[in-house]
Amino acid sequence: MLKLEKYKLFKRKIVLVLITGIFLIVLLQEVRAFHAYEYQQKQIEIGEKHKGIFTDSRFARYWKEFSQTYYNDGLTLKPYFFDGDRQKTAKELFPNASFDIYFGSYENWATLFYTMTGDLKCIPIFIVLVFSGIFSYENECGMQEILLSTRNGRKRCSKAKLKLAFMVTNIFYFVVILIPITDMLVMTRGSGWKTSIQVNIWLSSCSNNINNLGVLVHTLFLSFLSINMVVLITLLISFLSKSPVISMCVSLGILYVLRQDIIYGLSGGGLANYIVSLTPVNVLDVEYLIHLNTVRLFGFTVQWLYIVEVVYVIVLAVLAVVFYKTMSKNQRYYAA
């Protein structure tokens, strides 16, 4: 049955086009970044030479060597780290950090998180376009009722569809994230993992004591949960829908109706940002989650990132139970 489902899936041209297209996008980004190998090696060398707890004197030494080596490029950083000709203090640069900031090479890691977020956001689209019709195609033509009326159709066929959906998605997911991570490790040889995330200019106001390696671990964990949740949601909608087009539209609507930019424009941020950050696509942007302030929960101050991870573990488990019960109910009905 699994071989049959594989044949049915990969016989569709859109599947091969999507897989090839996404891989090309991911690879071309990394090939383009690799052209600056020698340039980035010097940057990494300077950053690692001055790594350690961030102090005004340490950064002054770093800046002096960096600006002498890359004068023109260094000017792009100056408006942030300097107030005119005066170098800002650590307190000015990192106003919400009640802990020591660890300084070191960081640009390759910042690039990794940026490109990985973009790559990961392609996967939900792939899932919806490929698997939204896995049950609904057969519902549309009446084949699903025939399959569910037979023992193999109720059990082996349904299990084969589920195995195929999760197997293809997770293999695709691991390959997509492996490419930029491998490229980054070749570039940096692992250096910069200890650098505090606040050194990344966009996250300078973050109050979360976390380094680049921590962000990578959280990204892998949350993206894995999010991607598999998207698979479950898509399969459940496909199972209940009698039209692949409706199944696809509903799935895309659930994924993309709540966008950060739209909600922020309507509400100006605040509580809406936290609510929207829980949607599967937005969860893939871990840097955005880290940037959100801590919240008070049962008298404790908790990082929003950790709350999202707990919520997703619980919701994924509940969703799996709902999906199982929905399929079992249909199987019992057709068995009778």
Side-chain angles (χ1 to χ4, degrees):
M1 282 291 185
L2 186 59
K3 289 183 178 179
L4 175 61
E5 292 301 327
K6 286 180 183 177
Y7 171 76
K8 288 163 61 179
L9 179 70
F10 290 105
K11 185 181 178 182
R12 296 165 56 198
K13 292 181 180 179
I14 188 172
V15 176
L16 299 177
V17 169
L18 282 171
I19 291 175
T20 304
I22 293 174
F23 276 143
L24 283 176
I25 291 172
V26 174
L27 286 171
L28 286 174
Q29 286 185 120
E30 303 308 321
V31 170
R32 185 177 58 185
F34 208 78
H35 285 163
Y37 180 80
E38 293 183 4
Y39 172 86
Q40 294 189 38
Q41 289 304 302
K42 187 61 178 177
Q43 281 188 321
I44 294 167
E45 181 184 333
I46 296 172
E48 286 298 290
K49 181 179 178 180
H50 298 282
K51 67 180 180 181
I53 302 300
F54 189 98
T55 61
D56 297 338
S57 58
R58 184 185 299 277
F59 181 77
R61 293 193 298 271
Y62 163 80
W63 178 257
K64 182 179 179 181
E65 184 173 353
F66 182 86
S67 58
Q68 287 175 348
T69 307
Y70 298 108
Y71 181 75
N72 292 328
D73 299 288
L75 290 178
T76 60
L77 296 173
K78 194 167 183 177
Y80 173 74
F81 287 104
F82 289 81
D83 183 8
D85 291 328
R86 182 185 67 85
Q87 179 184 316
K88 293 180 182 178
T89 64
K91 187 63 179 175
E92 290 176 297
L93 292 170
F94 317 113
N96 297 324
S98 57
F99 44 85
D100 290 332
I101 299 295
Y102 192 90
F103 183 77
S105 60
Y106 65 93
E107 288 194 358
N108 289 88
W109 287 84
T111 303
L112 169 68
F113 299 139
Y114 177 79
T115 56
M116 188 184 291
T117 298
D119 295 342
L120 287 172
K121 287 186 176 182
C122 294
I123 300 179
I125 300 174
F126 167 81
I127 294 170
V128 171
L129 294 180
V130 172
F131 296 113
S132 59
I134 196 167
F135 289 109
S136 55
Y137 275 127
E138 292 168 349
N139 276 334
E140 187 177 42
C141 64
M143 180 60 69
Q144 184 69 5
E145 292 190 5
I146 298 173
L147 290 172
L148 290 174
S149 299
T150 64
R151 176 177 296 180
N152 287 340
R154 285 194 305 275
K155 295 182 179 180
R156 290 182 62 190
C157 184
S158 297
K159 287 180 180 178
K161 291 179 187 294
L162 294 178
K163 286 180 182 178
L164 180 66
F166 282 102
M167 183 175 66
V168 170
T169 299
N170 283 283
I171 291 174
F172 188 59
Y173 161 73
F174 282 115
V175 173
V176 165
I177 62 172
L178 188 63
I179 293 172
I181 290 176
T182 302
D183 185 28
M184 186 274 297
L185 291 176
V186 170
M187 287 284 220
T188 65
R189 299 179 182 86
S191 62
W193 67 269
K194 199 175 180 181
T195 303
S196 297
I197 195 66
Q198 285 79 7
V199 178
N200 183 348
I201 295 174
W202 187 72
L203 295 171
S204 60
S205 61
C206 176
S207 60
N208 196 341
N209 187 6
I210 189 171
N211 56 29
N212 285 327
L213 181 61
V215 175
L216 179 60
V217 171
H218 284 291
T219 299
L220 296 178
F221 180 61
L222 265 176
S223 60
F224 177 77
L225 294 177
S226 176
I227 292 302
N228 283 280
M229 183 178 290
V230 173
V231 176
L232 269 176
I233 292 172
T234 304
L235 292 179
L236 181 60
I237 294 172
S238 180
F239 189 78
L240 297 174
S241 173
K242 293 188 178 298
S243 168
V245 175
I246 293 175
S247 175
M248 185 183 301
C249 292
V250 172
S251 299
L252 288 173
I254 291 174
L255 289 177
Y256 294 101
V257 71
L258 294 175
R259 284 178 46 182
Q260 296 164 1
D261 53 351
I262 295 176
I263 297 299
Y264 188 82
L266 294 174
S267 66
L271 180 62
N273 275 345
Y274 290 88
I275 296 173
V276 173
S277 69
L278 290 170
T279 59
V281 174
N282 292 333
V283 161
L284 297 174
D285 192 350
V286 172
E287 282 191 315
Y288 175 75
L289 298 178
I290 292 173
H291 194 266
L292 292 175
N293 293 327
T294 56
V295 296
R296 294 287 294 177
L297 191 66
F298 305 116
F300 296 96
T301 300
V302 186
Q303 293 291 339
W304 183 247
L305 175 67
Y306 304 144
I307 294 175
V308 174
E309 289 176 335
V310 173
V311 168
Y312 259 67
V313 170
I314 295 172
V315 172
L316 189 60
V318 171
L319 194 59
V321 172
V322 170
F323 184 77
Y324 174 77
K325 287 186 174 294
T326 302
M327 290 198 69
S328 298
K329 182 180 178 181
N330 277 270
Q331 288 174 358
R332 286 195 300 270
Y333 171 79
Y334 282 99

